[in-house]
Amino acid sequence: MALTVTLRPLRPGDEEAAVRWAADPEFCRAAGWTPGLAPRLVRAHWRPIVAGLEPDFLRLGVEAGGRLVGYVDLAELTPTSGQFGIGIGERALWGRGVGRAAGEQMLALAFGPLGLATVTAQVYAPNLRSHALMRRLGLRETGRGEPEAYRGELVEVVRYALTRGEWTVTPGRLEGKGSSPFG
Ligand SMILES: CC(C)(COP(=O)(O)OP(=O)(O)OC[C@H]1O[C@@H](n2cnc3c(N)ncnc32)[C@H](O)[C@@H]1OP(=O)(O)O)[C@@H](O)C(=O)NCCC(=O)NCCS
């Protein structure tokens, strides 16, 4: 059955979901989080994000079936651009279209209400699910960055981008799915 996926602003208490996700070593490895982090360190990392204290960073919660199951980000935000990131912390849900639905809604927010001209993303070369997701969302590969540590080895970082013009013509883009987290 298809899950209803929505984005919403984070709120105090959401750190506890992050603590749960941080306890899953496979999610941590896939997402590039440090496995085995103490809950107090996870909370300390998430609290300023939940409070929205970082002006050039927007993180929203991803709800599926009414539960907080992950997050989407726009980092390095400027009036014209942002870097998309995503994590579906509830690993049992992977492969059910939650990432795609959340990503589509984040792009609709970025190119709609936020008025961005370009959304970029960076994906570790071995992260096949994430590459599939970026392509599904219409992002195109724009180049390779310096190697970074991922899953215990140095790997290439693949850069992606999508402009508002390209997004507008992406075939199969779902319009009006979910509600805007900004009303
Ligand atoms: C990447 C991630 C967000 C995808 O979320 P998801 O809910 O599983 O995504 P979807 O179900 O929408 O699937 C996305 C694509 O991955 C593909 N996919 C699923 N399993 C796959 C696998 N084992 N290998 C390769 N691609 C796979 C799906 O088929 C789909 O592509 P398609 O639409 O062309 O068929 C999720 O796996 C995750 O949180 N990973 C850890 C964090 C992370 O890597 N974030 C990205 C950092 S850039």
Side-chain angles (χ1 to χ4, degrees):
M1 200 177 67
L3 284 163
T4 302
V5 176
T6 52
L7 304 186
R8 66 157 173 82
L10 292 172
R11 49 187 184 239
D14 287 342
E15 306 89 299
E16 298 314 314
V19 167
R20 227 174 28 249
W21 306 332
D24 175 355
E26 179 48 29
F27 173 74
C28 291
R29 280 192 287 270
W33 290 20
T34 307
L37 269 190
R40 68 182 167 79
L41 295 179
V42 179
R43 289 189 192 102
H45 177 76
W46 272 69
R47 253 182 227 122
I49 298 174
V50 170
L53 296 179
E54 299 181 23
D56 62 349
F57 183 70
L58 172 68
R59 172 164 289 176
L60 296 172
V62 175
E63 283 199 353
R67 265 188 331 131
L68 184 67
V69 300
Y71 58 89
V72 281
D73 298 334
L74 287 171
E76 297 174 19
L77 257 177
T78 74
T80 57
S81 67
Q83 183 175 301
F84 172 62
I86 182 167
I88 303 302
E90 305 289 340
R91 195 154 48 86
L93 292 180
W94 283 8
R96 293 183 57 187
V98 175
R100 176 183 178 176
E104 283 169 345
Q105 290 175 47
M106 191 52 148
L107 291 179
L109 176 67
F111 291 125
L114 294 181
L116 303 189
T118 309
V119 170
T120 61
Q122 297 196 1
V123 179
Y124 297 118
N127 192 346
L128 300 183
R129 284 174 194 273
S130 188
H131 290 293
L133 176 62
M134 296 306 165
R135 286 194 293 270
R136 171 62 67 190
L137 292 174
L139 283 88
R140 68 193 149 70
E141 193 177 324
T142 56
R144 307 258 163 163
E146 287 301 306
E148 288 185 18
Y150 179 70
R151 287 182 174 273
E153 54 177 342
L154 275 184
V155 303
E156 276 193 313
V157 173
V158 182
R159 296 203 182 100
Y160 286 87
L162 180 67
T163 62
R164 183 164 49 214
E166 291 164 339
W167 174 74
T168 309
V169 299
T170 303
R173 181 166 64 79
L174 303 176
E175 300 221 35
K177 265 199 83 189
S179 53
S180 163
F182 299 110

